[in-house]
Amino acid sequence: MSESEMAIIKPEAMKSYVWLQCTDGSIQQVEEEVAMFCPMICREILQTGMGSSKNYAISLPERVNPPILSLILDYCRFHQVPGRSNKERKTFDEKFIRIDTKRLCELTSAADSLQLKPLVDLTSRALARMIEGKTPEEIRETFHLPDDLTEEEKLEPLKNTNDDLRIRLLNRLYAKKRKELKERQKQKDVEVEEPQKDERSVDEILSFINGDGDSKSAKAAKNKKKNRRKKDQPKDPSRIESEKSHKKDALTLSMGRSEPGGSNSPSPSRAEDAFPTRVDFEDGDIDDELDPAMKEELDREVEDFARRLNSDWPERMQEILSLSQERRAVPNLMNGNGSLQRYTGNRRQ
Amino acid sequence: MREERSDMSEDEDGGGGSAKSRGGGGAPPPFSDQVLENVLENVLQFLSSRGDRNAASLVCRSWYRAEAQTRRELFIGNCYAVSPRRATERFRRVRAVVLKGKPRFADFGLIPNNWGAHFHPWVCAMAAAYPWLEKICLKRMSVADGDLSLLAYSFPNFKELSLICCEGFSTAGLAVIAEKCRHLRVLDLIEDYLEDDEDEMSDWMSRFPETTTSLESLVFDCVGSAVNFEALEALVTRSPALRRLRVNHHVSVEQLRRLMALAPQLTHLGTGSFGSAAAAIPQGGNNVVDLVNTFAASKSLVCLSGFRDVAPQYLPAIYPVCANLTSLNFSFADISAEELNPVIRHCHNLQNFWVLDTVRDEGLQAVAATCKDLRELRVFPVDPTEDSEVSVSDVGLVAISEGCRKLRSILYFCQQMTNAAVVTMSKNCQDLVVFRLCIMGRHRPDHVTEEPMDEGFGAIVMNCKKLRRLSVSGLLTDKAFAYIGKYGKLVRTLSVAFAGNSDLALRYVLEGCTKLQKLEIRDSPFGDSALLAGLHHYYNMRFLWMSSCKLSVRGCNEVAQRLPHLVVEVIRDRDEDDDGEFVEKLYMYRSLAGPRTDAPPFVKIL
């Protein structure tokens, strides 16, 4: 008779049990030899003496809920029997992991918290097989994962990771631009309200005609309306595109950066004028105050700023980097005459 | 490289916040991210392929980080595509690094010396970042003795060094490696060019540890200078794990026999000269018998190479091992078909065969008759000039295609070819992954029909559905490239020389071959408009090389402006003033590191 069969006909009273408690409060009674297969439980029993009765049940880690615990115990129950052949074990394992993705993830995590390494490896391998050959999108779908890498991070990134300040600035500008475009969307939605504004401007015109002081504000109001309409048309398509793929924004930014100083950059004087007032980059409030003409200028200025950032920094960063590299390299020159050769240019053909 | 992503993890302000509002909005609540987080690293360690790792790193933030922590082997296909600092900062627990430098056309002397691909900045960065580094493999890099020194001193657990087609180091560097890398298992020097002065050579063979070594592989057949043979013998004696030994041509066949007797467990053997030291010739007969016995005792041999100065009377000595051979390299052996035949007749299990065209079509027919399991064939020219004698031709190619149906990779140098033969091969060998046909005469048509070779190459791309690498030659019109663009959907590497009529040809390729990674072109009439036709694709490629084509500085400038992440190098042969508009050599590649700072004066980066 095999040991497992012996275990079955053994009278209940002679078998020892341990009690395990999950974080939801439920308590399970399990054969001792099965539970001891988990290193974490084994340690608890041996070191603290817990688990011997219902009142002193061993508390299991959070990641082990009752259904998963039962799966794990099935695994332990099978494998703790010494007489099984490798082939039997392998067959069992292969069937065992044929469960849905969600449960497989939970099982891996639970096995890890119980320190049951063979099961961790088994399930991890199964998960790895599910990842193999898939695209990132497919992997996200399989495991219900968020798509939280920004487009910038997915694309060829723009600069050295050490450029913290630069990255922050550009990210701000970038986000600001996105926000602006959202603002435009809002404006478009708000267009319905324009008739009211029309009335107001008519009033203003009337008051102007009638000799009230605010000619400027009347003009400004008129211009606001005109410019807004003009811009809604060309801008909308780009807004739609940019919401679809922010890639375009990043590319626009980068193209703006790389264009030569000549043809496409904004006239320096205007940008110069606008620049000092934009030093403070706290988002949000500024946008609401701007009229469309200023917004267009902002667009250009964002690109110009990005371009200037990029043209000034590379040289300085390279300097800093090469300085730090040289400092590291100097002690190494002592080790081989070959490197000295290199630096003195004395290479043989 | 698209494979390397930056860690622009600015979690503050703009970047992160607006991104989170996108993606996964209406999808089921993301639970797995939390659940998997604990075990993610464990799961990812079972992912070994580069492609899977790259995909995993793009899934989401936590996966990106976990993948970066668990990547053990770092592969960098172009050393200028990313800076050493960025690579070492992202991947912190790397144990093995593969680095490639110069483009392949450097092998043909098309890249002036001192162009770049220096190992130095990499070894400095790795010395600081990866103290537990075990393996380094370099291909076409410039490696100085000082770099080897730094390597030897920086990595206490270093195990494997492979240098392929590298230059800049000498036996002095090897000496430091031998002495300091106490756990060295592999030292493979393959097709390197060592800088050695006659009077300054180092006896590196004596510098290995005096105790039992862990050496498993020692390959030095490219080392031009003789090694200390006694030291080599002693080293083999105290290296019980040695399985691969390839000696250089200074080792005579008698010396080889002694080495083999000391190491009957060898699986891979490079035979050195396989000819006699002059003094030993009178005892020729006995030597052969001894040699046969030695080979008979080497029951594990599966791979034979060397034969650098082969004396034909010694060839029969290898008969006892032929039946076990899976790989045989006769590419340095000037032997005839008659000399080849008795050897190849026994090689039923051969999968890789490299040979010189001195064996002619008859030799190839003998190969086709026996080697039914052949996967890779390379036929090299003994005289690589345009008008050398015809030795192998379409006859040999057809014979191979009929006898070796499992062929996956072929490199075939010849003087003349026919479309019919190439078409036949395309139909018989459907498993072809690599097809490189080098008709040595420029613009040479089908020698029977006098037509261009378009139909032949067209058939290859049409019929060989697994084709990933293609080298074309002979007289080719734009039509051939239309075929390639249309059918070569899996082609990753394409080599073109002296081919095509107009820009259309290059356009076809750039627009049609969606998986193209490496494109090298020389002496073909392609100009700026063709170059600009590929703008949509260049970020997906590792590199583009064009030399002696019809490019101008203006065209290259435009590419550089439109694609800021592309490094566009214009290389001149001579340090003259600008040759006006004409671009002699263009090498461009995507890069996260921006224009390199170590470019020599003859390289202009646009």
Side-chain angles (χ1 to χ4, degrees), chain B residues 156-335:
Chain B
N157 213 28
F158 195 69
K159 297 197 167 93
E160 300 188 16
L161 180 65
S162 301
L163 300 176
I164 307 170
C165 300
C166 296
E167 41 81 20
F169 62 99
S170 73
T171 48
L174 296 179
V176 186
I177 296 279
E179 186 175 331
K180 296 293 170 190
C181 300
R182 317 286 298 181
H183 303 286
L184 198 65
R185 292 203 290 230
V186 171
L187 180 59
D188 284 353
L189 307 168
I190 300 171
E191 289 183 51
D192 304 304
Y193 181 77
L194 273 78
E195 322 246 338
D196 263 318
D197 227 346
E198 288 306 313
D199 23 283
E200 271 188 45
M201 279 183 321
S202 175
D203 181 9
W204 58 285
M205 200 54 78
S206 317
R207 305 279 282 272
F208 282 93
E210 308 256 315
T211 55
T212 306
T213 75
S214 11
L215 265 185
E216 293 171 15
S217 175
L218 180 61
V219 173
F220 64 94
D221 49 355
C222 62
V223 173
S225 51
V227 300
N228 179 338
F229 184 73
E230 283 73 34
L232 175 59
E233 248 187 322
L235 178 64
V236 172
T237 313
R238 63 180 191 278
S239 304
L242 196 65
R243 294 285 176 276
R244 299 202 304 256
L245 178 64
R246 294 195 176 123
V247 301
N248 65 10
H249 65 281
H250 288 281
V251 174
S252 70
V253 70
E254 292 82 10
Q255 289 175 321
L256 180 74
R257 200 195 54 74
R258 280 156 62 180
L259 292 174
M260 288 175 70
L262 291 169
Q265 77 280 9
L266 287 179
T267 56
H268 293 62
L269 177 67
T271 61
S273 68
F274 218 64
S276 269
I281 289 181
Q283 299 156 29
N286 278 346
N287 274 348
V288 182
V289 172
D290 287 340
L291 200 55
V292 174
N293 290 336
T294 312
F295 269 95
S298 301
K299 302 203 188 296
S300 315
L301 272 183
V302 292
C303 174
L304 264 189
S305 61
F307 305 103
R308 302 258 168 164
D309 297 312
V310 61
Q313 72 265 30
Y314 288 120
L315 262 187
I318 71 174
Y319 294 168
V321 296
C322 285
N324 289 336
L325 286 183
T326 54
S327 178
L328 178 58
N329 182 349
F330 270 160
S331 63
F332 291 97
D334 195 332
I335 53 177

Side-chain angles (χ1 to χ4, degrees), chain B residues 63-106:
Chain B
W63 280 51
Y64 175 93
R65 280 192 286 260
E67 194 282 315
Q69 292 295 329
T70 54
R71 195 179 288 217
R72 290 279 178 271
E73 184 173 311
L74 187 57
F75 173 87
I76 300 193
N78 175 0
C79 63
Y80 286 121
V82 65
S83 73
R85 173 182 295 218
R86 173 181 240 142
T88 53
E89 279 181 354
R90 177 176 166 186
F91 301 107
R92 304 256 181 185
R93 301 198 199 150
V94 161
R95 297 283 164 104
V97 175
V98 178
L99 253 186
K100 295 190 180 181
K102 300 176 209 172
R104 199 180 68 93
F105 273 3

Side-chain angles (χ1 to χ4, degrees), chain B residues 43-64:
Chain B
V43 173
L44 290 180
Q45 82 188 29
F46 292 108
L47 278 187
S48 47
S49 101
R50 283 197 323 258
D52 289 332
R53 287 204 152 264
N54 293 338
S57 72
L58 287 176
V59 169
C60 64
R61 283 239 165 103
S62 56
W63 280 51
Y64 175 93

Side-chain angles (χ1 to χ4, degrees), chain B residues 207-507:
Chain B
R207 305 279 282 272
F208 282 93
E210 308 256 315
T211 55
T212 306
T213 75
S214 11
L215 265 185
E216 293 171 15
S217 175
L218 180 61
V219 173
F220 64 94
D221 49 355
C222 62
V223 173
S225 51
V227 300
N228 179 338
F229 184 73
E230 283 73 34
L232 175 59
E233 248 187 322
L235 178 64
V236 172
T237 313
R238 63 180 191 278
S239 304
L242 196 65
R243 294 285 176 276
R244 299 202 304 256
L245 178 64
R246 294 195 176 123
V247 301
N248 65 10
H249 65 281
H250 288 281
V251 174
S252 70
V253 70
E254 292 82 10
Q255 289 175 321
L256 180 74
R257 200 195 54 74
R258 280 156 62 180
L259 292 174
M260 288 175 70
L262 291 169
Q265 77 280 9
L266 287 179
T267 56
H268 293 62
L269 177 67
T271 61
S273 68
F274 218 64
S276 269
I281 289 181
Q283 299 156 29
N286 278 346
N287 274 348
V288 182
V289 172
D290 287 340
L291 200 55
V292 174
N293 290 336
T294 312
F295 269 95
S298 301
K299 302 203 188 296
S300 315
L301 272 183
V302 292
C303 174
L304 264 189
S305 61
F307 305 103
R308 302 258 168 164
D309 297 312
V310 61
Q313 72 265 30
Y314 288 120
L315 262 187
I318 71 174
Y319 294 168
V321 296
C322 285
N324 289 336
L325 286 183
T326 54
S327 178
L328 178 58
N329 182 349
F330 270 160
S331 63
F332 291 97
D334 195 332
I335 53 177
S336 66
E338 291 74 30
E339 285 156 348
L340 175 67
N341 203 2
V343 171
I344 209 75
R345 232 182 17 194
H346 300 290
C347 299
H348 303 281
N349 288 316
L350 208 57
Q351 293 185 8
N352 282 37
F353 186 50
W354 293 20
V355 71
L356 274 184
D357 62 0
T358 50
V359 300
R360 308 171 78 95
D361 289 328
E362 293 81 12
L364 295 180
Q365 283 163 335
V367 173
T370 318
C371 309
K372 296 302 176 189
D373 215 15
L374 199 66
R375 308 295 162 101
E376 177 176 319
L377 174 69
R378 295 195 194 193
V379 181
F380 293 97
V382 67
D383 181 9
T385 59
E386 278 199 73
D387 297 305
S388 57
E389 221 181 81
V390 172
S391 43
V392 296
S393 69
D394 45 295
V395 174
L397 193 70
V398 170
I400 292 288
S401 78
E402 281 167 0
C404 311
R405 297 295 175 112
K406 298 190 197 171
L407 202 63
R408 288 197 201 140
S409 169
I410 183 164
L411 169 63
Y412 198 87
F413 281 87
C414 58
Q415 282 295 342
Q416 59 192 31
M417 186 49 62
T418 63
N419 278 310
V422 180
V423 172
T424 306
M425 172 152 269
S426 78
K427 290 187 181 154
N428 288 342
C429 303
Q430 301 263 315
D431 286 341
L432 273 178
V433 173
V434 175
F435 184 79
R436 295 155 74 186
L437 178 62
C438 302
I439 304 170
M440 288 187 280
R442 281 179 263 191
H443 309 297
R444 206 157 276 183
D446 178 327
H447 75 95
V448 165
T449 66
E450 298 294 320
E451 294 196 343
M453 291 298 299
D454 298 340
E455 295 309 313
F457 285 104
I460 289 284
V461 284
M462 258 192 278
N463 297 336
C464 303
K465 310 253 190 290
K466 305 180 192 175
L467 196 73
R468 293 208 306 254
R469 182 171 181 178
L470 181 64
S471 290
V472 300
S473 58
L475 178 65
L476 291 172
T477 70
D478 292 344
K479 194 169 179 206
F481 296 94
Y483 285 136
I484 295 173
K486 184 168 180 195
Y487 296 104
K489 293 305 176 189
L490 292 184
V491 170
R492 289 172 40 113
T493 308
L494 180 63
S495 263
V496 179
F498 302 99
N501 298 126
S502 74
D503 283 357
L504 265 185
L506 184 52
R507 291 187 94 105

Side-chain angles (χ1 to χ4, degrees), chain A residues 264-313:
Chain A
N264 299 330
S265 62
S267 53
S269 55
R270 279 198 80 186
E272 224 79 299
D273 285 344
F275 190 64
T277 65
R278 301 270 184 281
V279 170
D280 170 24
F281 279 112
E282 300 313 310
D283 319 338
D285 298 335
I286 304 178
D287 288 343
D288 292 338
E289 318 283 286
L290 293 175
D291 71 41
M294 294 292 273
K295 282 202 176 148
E296 188 168 48
E297 190 185 49
L298 189 85
D299 284 346
R300 278 181 277 133
E301 180 236 290
V302 163
E303 289 183 5
D304 182 44
F305 180 72
R307 186 171 47 81
R308 260 185 298 157
L309 254 191
N310 211 49
S311 63
D312 284 343
W313 275 70

